[in-house]
Amino acid sequence: MSAPVTLFGKEYPADGNTNTPPSIQAKVGRNLHLQKDHPLATLREIIETHFKGFTRIQPESPVVTVFQNFDELGFAPDHPGRSLTDSYYLNKEHMLRTHTSAHEVEAYKTGADAFLIAADVYRRDEIDSSHYPVFHQMEGMRHWDVTDVKQLTEQLRAENAKLAEELAACPIEITDISNVGPENPLQECHDPELATEMAQNLKHSLNGMIFKLFGHITADGQPLKVRWIDAFFPWTSPSFEVEVWYNDEWLEILGCGVVVQKTLERGGVGHKSGWAFGLGLERIAMVLFDIPDIRLFWSQDPRFLSQFKQGEITAFKPYSKYPPCYKDMSFWLPEETQEGIKPWHENDYCEVVRDVAGDLVENVTLIDDFTHPKTGKRSLCYRLNYRSMDRSLNNEEVNALQDKVVGRVVKEMGIEMR
Ligand code: PHE
């Protein structure tokens, strides 16, 4: 993996951090959120309609500096998200953005007061029906000139009263168990009354958006249930997460908060204050369009794409399923650290599986984890479930994939097959 990576005509020289395989590079530029009729594009559009007058920003390349993705937003130097097991690096300086927040500061620099950023983001992660290494996020920010604190507080109070009235007329039940206080404080540099109105404006705006998105799924006469809880993000305070009650559980929808003043200063707008939120489009689209597997978003099969029409939310009708094919893989982990072999991490293993099998792998589950009582050697067994969305796989083909995975993990991860 030491070849330089070229993306959007720019070459990024490889170094010890380079860990973006060709299978991931191939996803760059697909822009599902911009593809007409695609569920992700419809969802993006509905959100854009809710936030009228917001300036839309479409960063072309997903490559950002590590500084933009993390440091500029105040992530600690040892934040786990920075690790090579969690993020895709082109080299020590450049990476594929892990969230749309990586573009907040440059957006502030454009001088507008309200923004929406929709883009593809990249994270190394587990393999299951709701995780994929590339997904799409939408970021929204709004801020105001705070020179006249009193006037702005009044203005927001009036706007908030109006928004509250609109929400009161909707069948939505909002529970707010967030707790602004020492653990999740208002910022000292903010006027507390004004900051409270800003947080309120954030909450009303997002509750309205959530009702627009989910209001129709509660057909059984029940109001839509929404819950606000405390959260932590290095560039917002106070910070919140919003959850929606769906299929008998709380589904996390988005993260948000009042933007840390230092972040706005970095964007050259220290005289303004406001809020920001970020949400994942796939998670919401899976609910709204009844899409059972996140890989379907990437399908180029007309049986998937032709089902949807721009601007319309319709339930996905599954097309013929193909049989799964399980292959188990048991191995011993290396006993001690070996030259050139990184410590074991499941994400690295999954990365190799993805690189070899691409979308032909449906899930990877640990089915046995055993440490030998005498030797202390640890053995793991993973079940790899191969299944294509579009065709039947034959045993030979799956065996060949499995052999290839074995060959690579033995070589790259220092494991010993059992
Ligand atoms: N970027 C955050 C995430 O990916 C979400 C977020 C955006 C939180 C903006 C606060 C403000 O989880």
Side-chain angles (χ1 to χ4, degrees):
M1 262 198 237
S2 51
V5 178
T6 303
L7 287 172
F8 286 94
K10 241 192 115 173
E11 187 179 283
Y12 300 90
D15 61 24
N17 271 25
T18 310
N19 69 348
T20 306
S23 54
I24 295 298
Q25 293 172 38
K27 301 283 194 242
V28 172
R30 281 282 299 275
N31 289 332
L32 302 180
H33 60 298
L34 303 177
Q35 188 181 317
K36 190 174 160 284
D37 297 335
H38 196 283
L40 295 178
T42 288
L43 177 55
R44 172 187 53 76
E45 206 176 75
I46 295 173
I47 297 173
E48 285 172 354
T49 323
H50 180 74
F51 292 102
K52 282 191 196 72
F54 281 49
T55 300
R56 282 182 232 163
I57 296 184
Q58 269 167 22
E60 194 191 31
S61 169
V63 180
V64 295
T65 60
V66 177
F67 182 78
Q68 280 176 298
N69 198 80
F70 293 123
D71 303 83
E72 199 170 41
L73 294 169
F75 281 89
D78 60 349
H79 190 277
R82 293 178 184 259
S83 129
L84 288 169
T85 58
D86 286 42
S87 296
Y88 289 107
Y89 286 82
L90 304 177
N91 53 36
K92 291 203 159 62
E93 200 190 336
H94 290 96
M95 62 187 300
L96 298 177
R97 61 182 162 234
T98 65
H99 55 176
T100 39
S101 305
H103 297 286
E104 273 195 23
V105 172
E106 72 186 74
Y108 294 139
K109 288 183 185 159
T110 66
D113 282 335
F115 311 87
L116 287 174
I117 308 171
D120 40 328
V121 301
Y122 299 74
R123 291 186 200 176
R124 304 182 82 192
D125 220 325
E126 55 201 272
I127 299 183
D128 66 27
S129 66
S130 63
H131 288 87
Y132 201 77
V134 191
F135 58 103
H136 298 78
Q137 280 193 335
M138 228 165 142
E139 192 94 0
M141 298 101 84
R142 186 176 177 198
H143 54 232
W144 298 268
D145 189 318
V146 291
T147 319
D148 189 342
V149 171
K150 234 177 131 208
Q151 188 275 329
L152 179 59
T153 310
E154 284 315 313
Q155 179 195 322
L156 285 179
R157 196 170 278 144
E159 184 181 326
N160 288 342
K162 207 166 142 246
L163 291 172
E165 207 176 297
E166 281 168 26
L167 279 166
C170 300
I172 179 171
E173 183 184 306
I174 301 157
T175 312
D176 190 345
I177 52 170
S178 67
N179 225 326
V180 175
E183 303 279 313
N184 193 16
L186 296 174
Q187 295 166 49
E188 266 177 32
C189 60
H190 285 169
D191 175 81
E193 252 181 89
L194 177 55
T196 304
E197 292 303 330
M198 284 186 183
Q200 201 51 255
N201 186 263
L202 165 70
K203 289 179 178 175
H204 288 333
S205 306
L206 289 175
N207 284 330
M209 177 198 78
I210 289 168
F211 185 72
K212 185 173 256 167
L213 291 175
F214 292 95
H216 67 282
I217 62 171
T218 51
D220 53 355
Q222 295 280 326
L224 174 69
K225 287 196 185 70
V226 175
R227 183 164 86 166
W228 284 74
I229 59 175
D230 287 316
F232 174 80
F233 303 103
W235 67 101
T236 53
S237 191
S239 304
F240 311 102
E241 247 159 36
V242 187
E243 302 173 323
V244 168
W245 185 253
Y246 176 73
N247 261 351
D248 293 331
E249 59 180 5
W250 288 108
L251 181 75
E252 189 194 313
I253 292 291
L254 59 84
C256 62
V258 176
V259 179
V260 165
Q261 207 53 35
K262 186 131 197 261
T263 311
L264 289 154
E265 280 166 22
R266 285 196 168 113
V269 287
H271 60 295
K272 296 180 180 176
S273 296
W275 50 251
F277 72 86
L279 53 81
L281 291 176
E282 274 83 347
R283 172 104 46 113
I284 299 174
M286 285 175 83
V287 170
L288 297 182
F289 294 85
D290 221 356
I291 292 174
D293 191 305
I294 196 165
R295 291 175 298 167
L296 280 163
F297 291 112
W298 296 89
S299 172
Q300 286 172 317
D301 191 314
R303 285 177 297 176
F304 176 77
L305 291 171
S306 66
Q307 290 193 19
F308 302 103
K309 257 192 118 152
Q310 188 66 27
E312 287 175 25
I313 296 182
T314 47
F316 169 66
K317 290 175 230 59
Y319 43 89
S320 61
K321 285 226 166 70
Y322 298 93
C325 183
Y326 292 112
K327 297 281 168 194
D328 290 352
M329 189 184 276
S330 307
F331 48 84
W332 297 106
L333 294 187
E335 277 179 276
E336 59 240 323
T337 44
Q338 296 170 23
E339 175 82 277
I341 303 270
K342 288 180 283 179
W344 164 261
H345 194 295
E346 186 175 275
N347 282 358
D348 288 326
Y349 175 71
C350 286
E351 192 62 34
V352 174
V353 177
R354 282 229 195 258
D355 203 31
V356 171
D359 285 359
L360 298 181
V361 58
E362 185 167 85
N363 58 53
V364 173
T365 24
L366 182 64
I367 55 171
D368 189 40
D369 182 347
F370 152 81
T371 303
H372 194 282
K374 290 225 177 76
T375 62
K377 271 174 86 168
R378 185 168 164 217
S379 141
L380 301 179
C381 181
Y382 280 93
R383 174 158 294 169
L384 286 72
N385 178 21
Y386 296 91
R387 187 197 328 237
S388 162
M389 295 304 299
D390 312 317
R391 66 195 170 88
S392 252
L393 298 177
N394 64 43
N395 204 36
E396 263 172 16
E397 185 179 6
V398 173
N399 279 337
L401 288 171
Q402 181 82 350
D403 287 347
K404 215 163 155 193
V405 173
V406 170
R408 285 208 27 200
V409 292
V410 166
K411 193 161 140 234
E412 292 167 29
M413 307 192 74
I415 60 169
E416 189 189 330
M417 297 304 293
R418 294 188 60 174

